[in-house]
Amino acid sequence: MVAISVLDLVPVIEGQEPGDALRNSIELIRHAETLGYRRYWVAEHHNMTGIASAATAVVIGALAGATSTIRVGAGGVMLPNHAPLVIAEQFGTLEALFPGRIDLGLGRAPGTDQRTLRALRRDPMASDQFPQDVLEVQAFFEPAGPNQAVQAVPGAGLRVPLWILGSSLFGAQLAAELGLPYAFASHFAPDALIQALAIYRERFKPSEQAAKPYAMPGINVVAAETDTEARYLATSLQQRFVGMVRGARGKLQPPIADIEQYWSPAEKAHVSQMLRYAFIGSPETIKRELSAFIAATSADEIMVTAPIHDQAARKRSYEILAQIAPEIGLARSAA
């Protein structure tokens, strides 16, 4: 059975503020826990008015504090933005507060633009040190040695599970070499998914954390009672990606009746390619298309994001997916 989890980009919708987005996420994680989703991740983005999870560890603490069983984590922390010791301390603190429920996904990209990267006081070449930084974070989670001069407190000995995130072959190779689970960002960068999964599985070296490869692709799912309603709701997602193409990111816009009037043919082609793994439709449509995806990828778990403008419709989309999960080989956790 394939586990199902949630990726929440903590979208700030048009007409609301970041505080509203954070409260919506607390409501959504409680709903996801009731529905039996395995884990709930938020991601680090900076200087984006439409995403409210910049202080990722703080958001994770609020989400974990609002729930009791679901795993909560980062999908991910952009490690080049931080000193490994600081991340080990932050996630060690989370693990100390919520033992057995914290995940730490690590990414190599800065998660922002170059000007914001400078505002973060980070070296633009820091991503070149990503493999070494991952090993350093991992080492801080090991029990401290008797003569160890620098320790993560909390953190030492807690062995928070690490994941490698990626959207290219680099992350697949690193996750395989280190023997770590691998999450692929196919919800916005689908091109290398199949090749990356193949490389990851072929080159995987067992480790203390993982005896065998474990792959989790990210996908978009917009489910509703009918295909027509789902396609309407999905125009918010499509507008967001058009904004990325136009270099005009902003808050999540309400759905529109005719997306064809919104984008140009070139934008439509580009966005449709980026959203190749967006599953939009009624329960029957989602079952058919998602079953084919699972068969093609042999995923161990799927991480689902649903950028839907209306909070009730977003909750309903996750509810529909949970309801049809057993019919397509998806495993729900005990509520």
Side-chain angles (χ1 to χ4, degrees):
M1 297 289 282
V2 178
I4 50 174
S5 294
V6 175
L7 173 62
D8 179 11
L9 297 180
V10 195
V12 184
I13 67 174
E14 188 62 40
Q16 293 191 356
E17 299 301 324
D20 301 302
L22 292 164
R23 284 183 284 272
N24 283 342
S25 291
I26 289 172
E27 181 181 45
L28 183 60
I29 193 175
R30 288 171 171 159
H31 189 58
E33 183 175 67
T34 300
L35 293 171
Y37 285 84
R38 176 168 294 183
R39 67 187 89 239
Y40 192 106
W41 284 4
V42 294
E44 177 186 351
H45 294 86
H46 297 282
N47 193 31
M48 295 187 184
T49 57
I51 298 177
S53 53
T56 313
V58 178
V59 177
I60 291 169
L63 295 171
T67 51
S68 58
T69 58
I70 193 170
R71 297 192 66 88
V72 191
V77 162
M78 301 299 104
L79 193 50
N81 295 343
H82 310 278
L85 174 61
V86 172
I87 296 304
E89 290 170 339
Q90 289 177 358
F91 281 79
T93 300
L94 290 167
E95 177 66 21
L97 289 169
F98 309 103
R101 294 180 56 207
I102 300 300
D103 298 324
L104 175 52
L106 297 170
R108 182 170 66 120
T112 189
D113 57 72
Q114 290 300 310
R115 286 182 298 180
T116 307
L117 187 62
R118 288 193 292 272
L120 290 167
R121 301 296 193 269
R122 303 303 294 168
D123 181 352
M125 303 304 293
S127 60
D128 293 345
Q129 301 300 313
F130 180 66
Q132 292 82 2
D133 286 349
V134 172
L135 291 172
E136 191 170 339
V137 171
Q138 193 172 43
F140 278 126
F141 286 134
E142 292 297 317
N147 299 314
Q148 185 172 328
V150 180
Q151 302 180 26
V153 183
L158 295 183
R159 291 180 172 155
V160 175
L162 300 186
W163 291 66
I164 298 297
L165 312 184
S167 58
S168 68
L169 304 186
F170 177 89
Q173 294 165 348
L174 181 61
E177 178 65 27
L178 299 181
L180 295 175
Y182 178 50
F184 191 91
S186 40
H187 59 293
F188 73 89
D191 290 350
L193 172 64
I194 301 302
Q195 186 181 5
L197 293 182
I199 288 173
Y200 170 63
R201 289 169 176 142
E202 289 167 4
R203 302 184 185 181
F204 185 85
K205 297 179 180 180
S207 68
E208 187 172 346
Q209 181 175 330
K212 60 183 181 179
Y214 192 94
M216 180 173 65
I219 60 173
N220 296 279
V221 174
V222 179
E225 309 306 326
T226 66
D227 287 346
T228 299
E229 182 185 359
R231 285 194 294 266
Y232 172 69
L233 294 174
T235 59
S236 294
L237 169 63
Q238 291 164 333
Q239 290 176 79
R240 166 172 276 183
F241 274 70
V242 171
M244 292 168 60
V245 173
R246 294 175 180 174
R249 299 173 184 264
K251 295 183 178 181
L252 188 65
Q253 298 297 307
I256 54 178
D258 188 0
I259 189 67
E260 300 301 331
Q261 296 297 317
Y262 183 82
W263 55 18
S264 70
E267 290 170 340
K268 178 180 180 179
H270 191 165
V271 169
S272 298
Q273 171 62 21
M274 294 173 73
L275 293 177
R276 186 192 314 171
Y277 298 126
F279 301 91
I280 300 164
S282 65
E284 288 303 316
T285 297
I286 299 295
K287 278 192 288 186
R288 181 180 66 253
E289 296 183 357
L290 196 48
S291 294
F293 175 81
I294 292 168
T297 60
S298 299
D300 298 290
E301 185 170 344
I302 57 172
M303 178 151 277
V304 178
T305 185
I308 297 172
H309 183 269
D310 180 74
Q311 174 76 348
R314 184 162 67 137
K315 291 171 62 179
R316 178 58 181 151
S317 181
Y318 281 110
E319 187 176 323
I320 290 172
L321 180 58
Q323 289 170 345
I324 65 176
E327 300 176 54
I328 53 177
L330 297 175
R332 294 167 57 189
S333 303

